[in-house]
Amino acid sequence: MTGIEYDDFLDLDYEPTGTDLVCEFSIAPASDMSMEAAASRVASESANGTWAALHVDEAELTDLSAVACDIRENAGPGGNVTVAYPTDLFEDGSMAQILSCIAGNIMGMKAVDSIRLEDCKWPETLVEGFPGPQFGTAVAHEKLDAGDRPVLATVPKPKVGLSTDAHVDIAEQAWRGGVDLLKDDENLTDQYFNPFEDRVERSLSVARELTEETGEKKDYLVNITAETDEMVRRAEFVADQGGGFIMVDVVTAGWSAVQTVRDVAEKHDLAIHAHRAMHAAFDRMDHHGVSMRTLAQVARLCGVDHIHTGTAGLGKLENEDTPGINAWLKSDLYGTTDVLPVASGGLHPGVIDALIDALGTDIAIQAGGGIHGHPDGTEAGARALRQSVEASMQGVPLRDHADAGNPELAAALDKWGAETPR
Ligand SMILES: O=C(COP(=O)(O)O)[C@H](O)[C@H](O)COP(=O)(O)O
Ligand SMILES: [Mg+2]
């Protein structure tokens, strides 16, 4: 009979193997706890241990212990801890089970005053259990005609409450003005004032008309967020209506639901747009929770094609290391398809040059208020956004481009300048 004590989970000489999942945590130990003591408790509780010394029959136990294998203390209280997990601890292909280990009980442990899961290094054996994205950044030329410019999208605003007539009218103006994608807002799903099926059917019919009229592919990020079986049904409806994209609020819907939707998306050639509403509940504080970097990694494994990752500080919402997260989404992950990062939130034509400087052009840019708030309306707002992208890609100052026969951009600059809205 052997015991499993907390100290069994600390080994600063252990070198993670290529099959370990290696997680980076920042922690602040409880005031009466050393970093070592806190680190071993985090490794224990997130793997196979608990607070009491256990007596087990080795013949009946698979050793799935994690190891706190590196500690780097800060000048102040706390520091970073690296924990290596054996992949046998995890169920292949179950993101819910993995997160219940590495971002589960430990978030509430009294042994730490705070803990944040900052980053994960995923072993190939775990990555193979997930489908990854179908398209990723290739949507720009496989499903749209964006070429080497950013994919452009807009959300009708007010975000909810518009009638279906008004929604479809705004869509028509925005597509005519030059956006590639219409997008439902995160809380527009199937409400009486703008019912799902009617909205989808009529919007996609206009998308086909504007594809014809403009010679550029127009499509629609349809928010299918709902109970899982209903999401499957809605995804199939979008495919039946000729749509090429669906959108899921991945945090509020849940990762197991996303995995189910990914299977349906594969069958129907649908790209998945991940809205991350509620992410800031656990990634905004820099000392506790789960980082957006980790969330983006989870989303890529589960197979979304696009995900919102912030505006590099140029928009209305708090951001975390947008450039670093975007780089990871496009990095090699054992051949896993990349993900198209989406910049959104308070963007307007006056900040696109700075945005492209910060994030490059291999992104999607979403502007809601920054298009529909244009002094001359939605179509002019879309034209202004397009003109701002043109100028930014040519390296021409926005005002010069505006004055060179782009009055819609001039009007946007007159109204908003280069302000960062809040
Ligand atoms: O509707 C919008 C932005 O509208 P607008 O363009 O009018 O500000 C999105 O929900 C936010 O960008 C989400 O935030 P994030 O992109 O950070 O997840
Ligand atoms: Mg929104």
Side-chain angles (χ1 to χ4, degrees):
M1 301 285 268
T2 58
I4 296 186
E5 306 267 2
Y6 275 143
D7 292 350
D8 298 333
F9 294 87
L10 180 70
D11 179 354
L12 300 181
D13 296 325
Y14 178 78
E15 279 297 322
T17 68
T19 59
D20 288 339
L21 170 60
V22 181
C23 293
E24 188 75 19
F25 295 94
S26 55
I27 70 169
S31 55
D32 60 345
M33 198 69 74
S34 69
M35 275 294 283
E36 287 74 10
S40 55
R41 283 158 174 73
V42 167
S44 165
E45 185 63 36
S46 55
N48 59 352
T50 188
W51 62 274
L54 304 173
H55 301 282
V56 291
D57 176 351
E58 278 191 331
E60 294 305 317
L61 177 71
T62 303
D63 183 5
L64 300 173
S65 299
V67 182
C69 56
D70 188 37
I71 294 176
R72 292 172 310 289
E73 300 205 42
N74 297 334
N80 279 48
V81 174
T82 304
V83 178
Y85 297 89
T87 35
D88 287 349
L89 173 65
F90 305 111
E91 178 186 349
D92 267 355
S94 173
M95 190 50 76
Q97 188 270 344
I98 293 170
L99 292 175
S100 293
C101 293
I102 64 176
N105 293 354
I106 53 176
M107 292 291 151
M109 286 188 92
K110 289 181 179 173
V112 291
D113 285 347
S114 64
I115 179 170
R116 191 174 198 252
L117 173 55
E118 300 289 358
D119 194 7
C120 301
K121 283 189 183 60
W122 301 86
E124 186 167 14
T125 45
L126 266 191
V127 170
E128 281 169 351
F130 293 93
Q134 258 190 108
F135 306 97
T137 56
V139 292
H141 54 270
E142 281 188 20
K143 296 178 87 67
L144 298 167
D145 295 320
D148 59 0
R149 65 168 168 77
V151 169
L152 301 182
T154 191
V155 174
K157 300 282 182 177
K159 54 169 66 179
V160 285
L162 289 171
S163 67
T164 307
D165 285 352
H167 179 98
V168 174
D169 179 48
I170 288 172
E172 180 173 351
Q173 292 178 51
W175 277 320
R176 182 167 290 121
V179 302
D180 306 292
L181 291 167
L182 178 74
K183 174 185 170 294
D184 284 338
D185 230 324
E186 66 278 1
N187 54 351
L188 178 65
T189 51
D190 184 18
Q191 293 104 318
Y192 71 90
F193 50 79
N194 195 351
F196 178 84
E197 294 194 2
D198 193 24
R199 177 171 88 242
V200 171
E201 197 170 341
R202 290 174 56 192
S203 300
L204 286 174
S205 165
V206 170
R208 284 188 287 276
E209 288 169 19
L210 270 291
T211 298
E212 189 72 27
E213 178 188 307
T214 63
E216 267 187 0
K217 183 82 177 78
K218 306 297 182 184
D219 215 320
Y220 177 15
L221 304 174
V222 181
N223 188 359
I224 64 167
T225 303
E227 178 280 326
T228 303
D229 290 340
E230 178 59 14
M231 284 206 282
V232 170
R233 194 191 68 77
R234 291 182 187 181
E236 289 167 344
F237 182 82
V238 170
D240 290 346
Q241 295 299 317
F245 298 79
I246 48 178
M247 166 178 149
V248 179
D249 296 342
V250 292
V251 174
T252 52
W255 296 108
S256 296
V258 172
Q259 290 188 251
T260 300
V261 168
R262 175 64 179 82
D263 291 344
V264 176
E266 180 86 26
K267 289 193 195 92
H268 296 284
D269 204 36
L270 293 168
I272 301 173
H273 181 95
H275 195 290
R276 59 177 181 170
M278 198 171 132
H279 73 97
F282 48 76
D283 69 19
R284 180 173 185 174
M285 296 301 138
D286 64 4
H287 61 279
H288 185 79
V290 176
S291 67
M292 177 60 212
R293 183 182 181 86
T294 301
L295 185 78
Q297 294 170 355
V298 165
R300 183 178 181 185
L301 290 175
C302 290
V304 306
D305 294 289
H306 332 149
I307 188 166
H308 292 236
T309 57
T311 56
L314 289 161
K316 69 185 182 187
L317 299 155
E318 287 296 340
N319 293 161
E320 168 191 336
D321 185 21
T322 307
I325 293 169
N326 290 6
W328 189 92
L329 286 173
K330 298 171 191 173
S331 66
D332 179 47
L333 184 65
Y334 313 109
T336 306
T337 304
D338 63 6
V339 176
L340 181 69
V342 179
S344 173
L347 295 179
H348 60 80
V351 298
I352 297 306
D353 50 352
L355 184 78
I356 288 179
D357 278 351
L359 301 179
T361 55
D362 205 11
I363 58 173
I365 297 173
Q366 189 295 123
I371 283 183
H372 311 301
H374 188 281
D376 303 319
T378 294
E379 183 176 333
R383 288 192 193 288
L385 185 68
R386 201 63 193 255
Q387 291 159 4
S388 183
V389 167
E390 278 158 16
S392 305
M393 292 186 71
Q394 293 163 14
V396 172
L398 298 184
R399 179 57 73 180
D400 293 358
H401 196 64
D403 295 344
N406 295 292
E408 297 86 352
L409 178 56
L413 296 177
D414 293 345
K415 178 165 185 176
W416 293 310
E419 77 174 45
T420 293
R422 289 160 62 99

